[in-house]
Amino acid sequence: MGTRSPFGAVSNTFDADYVSGGSSSGSASVLARGLVAFSLGTDTAGSGRVPAGFNNIVGLKPTKGWFSARGVVPACRLNDTISVFALTAEDAFSVASVMGGYDAGDAYSRINPRTAPASLPVHPHFAVPLNPEFFDDAAAEAAWDQALEALQAGGVTLHPVDFTPFRKLAEQLYYGAWVAERTAAVGGMLDRPAEMDPVVHEIIASGLKYSAVDAYKAEYLRAELTRQIQQTLAQFDALVVPTSPTIHTLEEMKQEPIHFNSQFGTYTNFTNLADLAALALPAPFRNDDLPAGITLIAPAWHDRALAEFGIRWQQQLALPLGATGQPCPAWRTSLPASADHVRLAVVGAHLTGMPLNFQLTDRHAVWVEETKTAPHYRLFALLEGAIKKPGLMRDEQGAAITVELWDIPLARFGEFVAEIPAPLGIGSLTLADGRVVKGFICEGAALNNALEITETGGWRNWLASQGSH
């Protein structure tokens, strides 16, 4: 927890008597103090998140395989990730976007399947642990309660869930055969205990007691618990947990290093084993003036969606940045458009609340905004068929038409287009502000017998004028 460095323990940036978090706490400390714009850590069990929580900064634990780990000294190669510390969620994701990408030279590097949503809904549904554990730390529990109140005030609906599968999987990382992977990573160094910290040696040497049969059984258990976790998370937009259930002083850590270290991993240790993405965020402080963060957790490749919410969360709380005392900037409310998603303008039956909107939401498309086209389009009502549909045609003598913009995952876009019946299709639309996006168009021949409704300015307006939905 940042206490076993050969250069001395890294103290907490808000109270030097307390720990700063984890094995990457040096990176977190210099970032929180404003000495660097961002820093990197490693996160196998939570070392890229707990230091963020203890120092009032952002810690992005990416999807496994998004960042190349080539050249990184491994701890548990199957579950190691490089993490990013930053003062804001926007900065963290910006750095991650530069770092991320497939590396054929890293056997565990992965290609982004481009199926995850670009952001979380405006009013998301979050799972929270039922009866969360704080190890009798009343200040941590009170800070968590404040964070939950703030989440609800920001439009989040909270759903308590049974945390048993998460807890059981977290325990496997250090108290099961998985610790043997650390033993494998250390190799011959284990035969030179005098060169190792005694606590580290004790933990890693425990891997020698497990057999190959134990390792296979541990993998079967991991897969079973992961399936339970994924089925739980599939019902919600994300899981939110305390980044750590408690905090301890440097002196306390000397007395019980393994026990207290295990406490810190209560809400972090399961994440990589279950192949999840996580984002640690600043949250309301404890009543003893120490930071207490929250962490959002979602399925693999939801990194951008979590960062989008992180931006909104930081804007809502407006906490100072790290330990710098500087205010949180108020000018950014979302990330730039994503290359992993198609921005699509819809004009009729796919609008929010309309009969075909499910074809977007079922593919993890997310609403971006309502806007207008450039004043160069004519709108028609196609009245044949079970569902009334609009037809949009470009005409320099036309008008501005109201549309909704949605971001649909790139890999799901082809499925969506395949469901579009003639005479409709997808082309490029110019918006009022000059942006060009993909959008619905219509074959000209189909408009000969259609009803022109351009003067209404949009599909909803025309339906309202007809007394229908």
Side-chain angles (χ1 to χ4, degrees):
M1 304 313 295
T3 61
R4 295 189 285 271
S5 166
F7 302 102
V10 180
S11 60
N12 188 282
T13 54
F14 286 82
D15 187 330
D17 289 337
Y18 284 82
V19 296
S20 55
S23 58
S24 297
S25 56
S27 294
S29 180
V30 295
L31 187 282
R33 298 173 196 275
L35 301 180
V36 295
F38 71 92
S39 59
L40 303 181
T42 55
D43 190 320
T44 303
S47 295
R49 287 163 281 164
V50 175
F54 287 175
N55 291 280
N56 191 41
I57 59 175
V58 174
L60 187 152
K61 198 294 299 176
T63 296
K64 287 192 300 182
W66 185 23
F67 300 170
S68 172
R70 186 161 40 151
V72 175
V73 177
C76 296
R77 194 175 174 196
L78 290 173
N79 293 293
D80 290 340
T81 58
I82 300 171
S83 63
V84 179
F85 293 116
L87 295 175
T88 67
E90 180 190 4
D91 284 353
F93 189 77
S94 295
V95 172
S97 297
V98 173
M99 293 177 59
Y102 176 71
D103 177 11
D106 174 5
Y108 291 102
S109 181
R110 300 158 72 184
I111 296 174
N112 186 341
R114 295 178 166 180
T115 55
S119 64
L120 300 185
V122 175
H123 299 293
H125 290 255
F126 287 172
V128 295
L130 180 67
N131 301 320
E133 175 64 75
F134 295 98
F135 302 100
D136 298 321
D137 188 335
E141 185 171 5
W144 170 243
D145 289 340
Q146 290 184 57
L148 295 183
E149 291 175 3
L151 286 167
Q152 291 174 310
V156 176
T157 301
L158 302 175
H159 303 268
V161 298
D162 180 9
F163 206 66
T164 302
F166 301 86
R167 175 180 53 78
K168 287 183 176 179
L169 188 57
E171 291 170 353
Q172 298 306 304
L173 195 59
Y174 285 105
Y175 295 103
W178 281 98
V179 75
E181 192 182 4
R182 294 179 181 269
T183 312
V186 168
M189 183 181 291
L190 201 61
D191 298 328
R192 305 191 299 275
E195 300 177 18
M196 297 180 67
D197 179 274
V199 175
V200 174
H201 185 273
E202 178 184 349
I203 294 171
I204 294 178
S206 69
L208 294 172
K209 67 183 181 183
Y210 296 103
S211 69
V213 172
D214 294 328
Y216 277 110
K217 288 181 177 179
E219 166 56 18
Y220 300 153
L221 178 59
R222 183 209 65 79
E224 291 167 1
L225 292 171
T226 294
R227 178 60 57 85
Q228 294 177 42
I229 287 170
Q230 291 176 344
Q231 288 175 339
T232 295
L233 294 184
Q235 304 172 64
F236 309 104
D237 296 303
L239 166 72
V240 60
V241 297
T243 298
S244 174
T246 187
I247 191 171
H248 290 286
T249 65
L250 293 167
E251 187 60 34
E252 289 170 338
M253 292 301 295
K254 291 179 183 178
Q255 305 304 317
E256 293 279 359
I258 296 178
H259 176 61
F260 289 151
N261 183 54
S262 176
Q263 289 182 352
F264 292 161
T266 300
Y267 299 111
T268 59
N269 286 0
F270 61 84
T271 310
N272 281 329
L273 286 170
D275 194 18
L276 304 172
L279 183 68
L281 295 166
F285 276 51
R286 299 159 49 103
N287 55 25
D288 56 8
D289 296 327
L290 289 170
I294 62 170
T295 295
L296 300 178
I297 300 172
W301 305 108
H302 281 58
D303 310 83
R304 177 191 169 90
L306 296 182
E308 280 275 7
F309 182 86
I311 292 173
R312 286 151 45 187
W313 172 250
Q314 286 192 279
Q315 293 292 322
Q316 177 188 342
L317 263 60
L319 294 172
L321 299 176
T324 67
Q326 297 298 311
C328 181
W331 58 274
R332 171 70 75 182
T333 57
S334 64
L335 295 168
S338 167
D340 295 326
H341 300 81
V342 176
R343 184 149 292 181
L344 177 71
V346 299
V347 69
H350 290 90
L351 293 168
T352 302
M354 295 293 176
L356 299 182
N357 183 251
F358 74 93
Q359 293 181 348
L360 291 170
T361 57
D362 283 357
R363 293 179 171 88
H364 293 158
V366 293
W367 182 91
V368 178
E369 63 177 298
E370 181 182 282
T371 186
K372 290 182 179 293
T373 67
H376 308 307
Y377 292 90
R378 295 168 65 190
L379 185 65
F380 297 81
L382 308 176
L383 303 180
E384 296 181 0
I387 298 177
K388 298 176 183 177
K389 295 183 289 290
L392 196 64
M393 181 181 75
R394 186 175 179 95
D395 188 325
E396 295 304 312
Q397 305 303 314
I401 304 299
T402 299
V403 295
E404 285 182 356
L405 301 186
W406 288 71
D407 280 345
I408 184 169
L410 189 60
R412 309 301 300 272
F413 184 61
E415 299 173 23
F416 177 78
V417 173
E419 291 186 345
I420 298 173
L424 302 180
I426 295 294
S428 295
L429 300 185
T430 303
L431 303 179
D433 60 6
R435 287 178 292 169
V436 177
V437 299
K438 295 303 176 185
F440 278 87
I441 57 175
C442 186
E443 297 174 5
L447 301 179
N448 294 332
N449 298 318
L451 175 66
E452 182 163 3
I453 58 173
T454 305
E455 63 181 15
T456 67
W459 187 245
R460 288 190 193 277
N461 293 342
W462 179 74
L463 289 179
S465 72
Q466 303 299 301
S468 60
H469 185 274

